[in-house]
Amino acid sequence: MSANSAEPRVLPLPLLDHHSAGRSAVTCEYRCGNACAHDAPNESDNSYFGDLVRGVVNRRGALRAGAVLSVAAGATATAVGTAAASPGRGNGHGNDSGAAAVGTDFDPVPPNTQDRVVIPDGYEQQVVIRWGDPVLHSAPEFDFWNQTPEAQQTQFGYNNDFAGLIPLDRAGIHNLLVVNHEYTTETHMFADYDPDNPTEQQVRTAWAAHGMSVLLVRRDPARGGLSPLPSWYSRRITLRTEFELRGPAAGSELLKTSEDPSGTRVLGTQNNCAGGVTPWGTVLSGEENFHQYFAHADQVSDPETRERMRRYGLGTGSSTRKWERFEKRWDASREPNESNRFGWVVEVDPHDPNSTPVKHTALGRFKHEGATIRTADDGRVVAYMGDDERFDYIYKFVSSGRMKNGRSAHARRHNMSLLDHGTLYVARFSGDSPASEIDGSGELPSDGEFDGSGEWLPLATGDTSHVPGFTAEEVYVFTRLAADKVGATKMDRPEDIEPNPSNGRVYCALTNNSNRGAAGHAPVDEINPRIGNKHGHVLEIRENHDDPTSTGMSWGLLLVCGDPEDAGTYFGGFDDQVSPISCPDNVAFDRHGNLWVSTDGNELGSHDGLFAVPVTGPERGHVKQFLTVPNGAETCGPIITDDIVTVCVQHPGENGSGPSDPGSHWPDGGDSQPRPSLVAVWRDHGHRVGEIGRR
């Protein structure tokens, strides 16, 4: 579909309506098991446009206030090219030349609530693959009203999140595409679903809709877009696929069950969130909110086991999906070790559809958002990881072995073993400003930055624990408790963490934390500087000597997100005409080193989106919105190349009441049911993404 359609590009948002386009209640229930149940989804009191009717003169000055008001005016226009879409000028922090940073030269998409993917002028888009489309050759045509587990295990799964693209040729024409399927929303998947009495067929279909998909795709260099191709690479990984547990905790008594007395084999992967493509051509995927799938943790007799389950969020009573009725492994009182077999980083070799995927125990067990790799000068590899929970931690793993060059099967096998031997660390941060200057408002301290230093605290190396009172196996299986013990810094939901290949710095999305500074919870500190942090922030880490194996670092906040007219926001020192951004989730980089951020749960009254922001030069901090997603949807798993940008559009329509009254009809329109999908966006006429006039 071309971006240059006859319909208006942006619908006006009401200035006085305090409408929240954050997560729906059903998304909270099925995606994370209501981990933030005491929050109020869809009840934001800080609508971006509503705030503009109040005074807009603040620490950034009247010049910038006028620019942001131009954004509001542009929201009622039929084109994106408004005064606010031009680069910042003339305040001493913007780019006086008026030139956008290379890779970010596009007209920003204003905030909007359209039920479609809205993209900049001069770009085109295509739905690459939707829930239910064929992955395997044997897949039948998708039939929403007659789903079966046999069909779903051959079709593209539900709620796609991370996507990785692995070129198979120098031109990047043929690529392997690997996509996570994070979770299922049964009340929206099945027309006749009864949450109190799911059928076995519905349950088994949901098992098949979890996991991952591997496909061969072709990029069209002339017309743009990506097209799936029939291929021997094609693969569906589900909750019935066998995984191998590897690393120092494999075979532990803590991982053994009645079905697997060896403690080395697990059926399936679930709640796979973000991930990363390794330098050796495999894909890492993080198992995140696994806790919600298990029932009856309160009926476990051993008090130590109950406490460990509580720290990982396992609930009391029945689970939301009632899977425990059909397999005992989902009943924590009957199989107390089964939950210990989830919450790992998994690795898949997409080049070999017959290979057994791996769960790496050396990388620790928690609610992994994902894992991404940086290679040190000496060949060791470093994996960066976040635990997506309020007040949990940031981790890294440093291998003891060194990477072999090349993409041969032999090299991949060797390099996949690197993540089984090394040291697991957790981060502790300190600020460099007086505590009295961190007042919880988000206002900068007197030195003009939220910044400081930090250290990586070792937790375990191989069979050696560095945590008093913990064995090495206990460190790996109950990593959260070990990190508690050593005094790691409690963070505001650390999600995707990735090293920037251009400058070597590491960027972490901290999505939000409504309980920061509340009674009975951790107070604000310089690295988490806002009370009731509902918009989140982006952290920039600089390893000492630019060495990722170092145990020391410095850090600064690149973005303190929210309404740019709020004095409690910060955009890397760039003070002109930035796009409003809320709840950063996934991060990615283009070839120029620009940071791209996708959002989840926008609390500013607009739909979630994808944003580009330079991290160096005069445009550092100049946030520009590249796209927005449809009603009820989240923007996930961005891939950024010279030729194409892709995003996973997750849970569209979950703001509605289900199949009888869906909240969206995207992507097929009409009266169709919404379907999570992967979308590709590219410049028209063969131009490069974000580079005006360049092919």
Side-chain angles (χ1 to χ4, degrees), residues 84-107:
S86 61
R89 293 178 174 85
N91 71 341
H93 294 288
N95 183 345
D96 289 340
S97 71
V102 177
T104 69
D105 199 350
F106 57 85
D107 289 337

Side-chain angles (χ1 to χ4, degrees), residues 531-549:
I531 292 174
N533 179 17
K534 66 180 179 179
H535 296 303
H537 48 285
V538 175
L539 169 66
E540 182 180 63
I541 294 173
R542 302 174 287 276
E543 303 273 26
N544 286 356
H545 314 295
D546 193 30
D547 178 3
T549 70

